[in-house]
Amino acid sequence: VYYARAYDAQRQHVQADKVYAARMDGKQGAWAGFDGIVTAIDRGQWEQARRANQVELEKAIAGRNLTEELAARAGELELAALSTDPDMGVKLQQEIRWHRANADAIRAIYPPSADEYALVIGIAAAIVGNAEVVQAMLLQVKDSPLLAEYPMAAQQYQVLLAEQDRLQGRPDAAILRLQPIIARDDALL
């Protein structure tokens, strides 16, 4: 997959597809699962990515796999934001309600996941310029002890704070907030 991704990064999609098909020994013949979703996003094939993500979401729900459902829901939300879905406001509210209803179960599987998903909702909101949801998600996680324990969550929080700065017309403050993260060799975002 990594070799195929390297070709994709160079926009050599035909070669990437050949490498991926060889890896799969012709079993699937095309990008599948989350690999297929990421590939479609990389290539700007929004509708294909959405269809593939919908398949993963349906499989996760049918299999009662909350971890995979969370990943697919995050993918669906991010795809909607990146492709400027006109129903984004509705989607954000749906995800906030789902998050509230499932936060404890998600947290039981992996402690930072509920806070991380709140931050994902906030980032999606920032992409579409919804400052109200950004603020709500920041308030929801601001006192979380997990921000000190999990570097990925801590960096996601800083990124969302930077997005809030940007949305409030303070791009210089956003840049200053992100500089300490990007200056580190171990930056996760």
Side-chain angles (χ1 to χ4, degrees):
V1 172
Y2 292 124
Y3 283 109
R5 290 259 176 263
Y7 282 117
D8 253 353
Q10 297 171 52
R11 301 294 181 234
Q12 296 178 25
H13 305 307
V14 171
Q15 188 63 29
D17 290 343
K18 286 179 185 177
V19 169
Y20 186 79
R23 167 214 176 233
M24 296 305 296
D25 297 325
K27 292 176 188 165
Q28 292 174 304
W31 294 92
F34 287 107
D35 288 332
I37 296 164
V38 171
T39 299
I41 292 169
D42 286 347
R43 296 178 184 185
Q45 299 166 337
W46 301 111
E47 206 46 50
Q48 182 177 336
R50 281 182 144 166
R51 284 192 308 270
N53 194 78
Q54 186 62 37
V55 168
E56 294 304 311
L57 180 58
E58 289 169 5
K59 283 189 331 191
I61 291 170
R64 297 180 184 212
N65 186 327
L66 191 57
T67 303
E68 289 187 9
E69 181 179 352
L70 179 63
R73 291 182 84 86
E76 184 175 301
L77 187 59
E78 291 169 1
L79 280 164
L82 292 170
S83 63
T84 59
D85 187 317
D87 296 328
M88 194 59 194
V90 172
K91 287 187 186 314
L92 286 169
Q93 293 308 313
Q94 288 171 338
E95 287 311 300
I96 290 169
R97 285 191 300 277
W98 183 87
H99 177 265
R100 285 183 186 141
N102 292 281
D104 290 338
I106 296 166
R107 200 173 279 114
I109 296 169
Y110 180 61
S113 58
D115 290 339
E116 287 177 345
Y117 194 58
L119 294 168
V120 166
I121 293 169
I123 298 270
I127 291 170
V128 297
N130 188 323
E132 183 180 324
V133 171
V134 170
Q135 177 68 24
M137 296 300 99
L138 284 168
L139 288 173
Q140 184 172 324
V141 301
K142 78 174 188 146
D143 295 324
S144 173
L146 296 172
L147 295 178
E149 297 173 31
Y150 292 88
M152 181 72 158
Q155 287 181 25
Q156 283 177 297
Y157 182 70
Q158 291 301 313
V159 168
L160 191 53
L161 285 171
E163 289 289 356
Q164 181 182 48
D165 288 336
R166 179 187 62 81
L167 289 170
Q168 292 175 346
R170 299 187 324 251
D172 292 340
I175 291 168
L176 287 173
R177 182 177 302 284
L178 295 174
Q179 281 178 333
I181 295 172
I182 62 173
R184 296 174 40 189
D185 289 339
D186 62 347
L188 299 169
L189 298 172

